[in-house]
Amino acid sequence: MDLVKEIKRLKKEKNAVILAHYYQVAEIQDIADYVGDSLGLSQKAAETDADIIVFAGVHFMAETAKILNPSKKVVLPDLNAGCSLADSCPPDSFETFTKQHPDHVVITYVNCSAEIKALSDIVCTSSNALKIVESVPKDTPIIFAPDKNLGRYIIKETGRDMLLWDGSCIVHEAFSMDKLIELHKKHPDYKIIAHPESEEHILDTATYIGSTSGMINYVKEHQDQKFIVATEAGILHKMQQEMPNTELVPAPAVEDNTCACSECHFMKMNTMQKLYDCLLNESPQIEVPEPIRKRALLPIERMLELSK
């Protein structure tokens, strides 16, 4: 069976749209209607007129699409495609934490569950985190969750004193400083660019720090330079497609895996076969209980409004 052909046929038949994250496998990125970072994907999900949204990403991303589109079918190729960062913030514990600091504005990074979003005042992505934090009056204390690395980066950039939840992404914490130094010695003319979910010692080496789309745009603006890219290695596919003559190397991970780079096991759970199956069967569907959906919608809408 020609999966590409069949997916395109089903998509047309069912008026479906395929949204894919930059960390998906190359074949899925190539067949998607839109490939982007969390902010771009949220914006596309909010404006789509498709009847079915096929979300080639992880669970919290598909949930965000469902929160924005309660009447549409939202399907995820693999229901087990979760997120280590989202898992690091259990709703019960987080609710207790927020109740201990009732005067704080709660800003949560989009990489969290619908329940966590429902406990938030504003949601942000790595693309707009600085802008969102700076939109809060300076004398208002802030809780930032779940990513402590992104939180520390925001504190450094804005000078804001924020209370951080102790969560992190295993992919962005897997970069090896020793191997990075070694790699940089081999390629001293390569500039390091990094995602703000990375640990502080990695960010300190970077020429540019930004979201996945920010990193792509930075490389686009500096195509004559060479780069070591410190984020999930899936981003290199789109970068190389758009900048075929730019030399790119993934930042090395601590463990010795097949690609010697940092890959998100969850993101790679979606395959072309699963994408076809979920479009054919219109399942597994993502559902968000209405009371949670309504509460989670407000902070997402605030983010989208501030991101215009």
Side-chain angles (χ1 to χ4, degrees), residues 11-12 20 48 50 52 65 88 96 108 125 133 154 157 176 179 190 195 197 203 205 224-225 235 244 260 275 288 299:
K11 199 175 69 163
K12 201 172 174 184
T48 186
I52 299 174
S88 72
T96 304
T108 51
T125 70
V133 167
I154 296 166
E157 291 298 303
S176 162
K179 286 184 183 177
Y190 280 55
H195 192 282
E197 280 181 49
L203 297 183
T205 68
D224 54 329
Q225 293 178 12
I235 195 176
L275 186 66
V288 179

Side-chain angles (χ1 to χ4, degrees), residues 90-106 115-116 118-121 142-143 145 163 165 295:
D92 292 350
S93 309
F94 189 63
E95 187 167 17
T96 304
F97 182 66
T98 58
K99 281 179 176 168
Q100 287 165 352
H101 308 281
D103 56 334
H104 286 56
V105 162
V106 180
E115 291 87 349
I116 298 297
L119 294 165
S120 311
D121 295 301
I142 294 170
I143 283 173
L163 199 53
W165 179 262
R295 278 167 35 221

Side-chain angles (χ1 to χ4, degrees), residues 201-226:
H201 56 264
I202 299 290
L203 297 183
D204 287 345
T205 68
T207 302
Y208 173 81
I209 299 165
S211 67
T212 40
S213 61
M215 291 165 89
I216 288 172
N217 289 334
Y218 185 82
V219 172
K220 212 177 269 183
E221 286 159 17
H222 302 84
Q223 291 187 41
D224 54 329
Q225 293 178 12
K226 299 169 185 176

Side-chain angles (χ1 to χ4, degrees), residues 174-176 179-180 183 228-229 231 233 249-263:
F175 295 119
S176 162
K179 286 184 183 177
L180 184 61
L183 184 66
I228 294 170
V229 183
T231 189
V249 178
V254 174
E255 76 275 9
D256 292 314
N257 57 14
T258 50
C259 73
C261 60
S262 221
E263 287 203 323

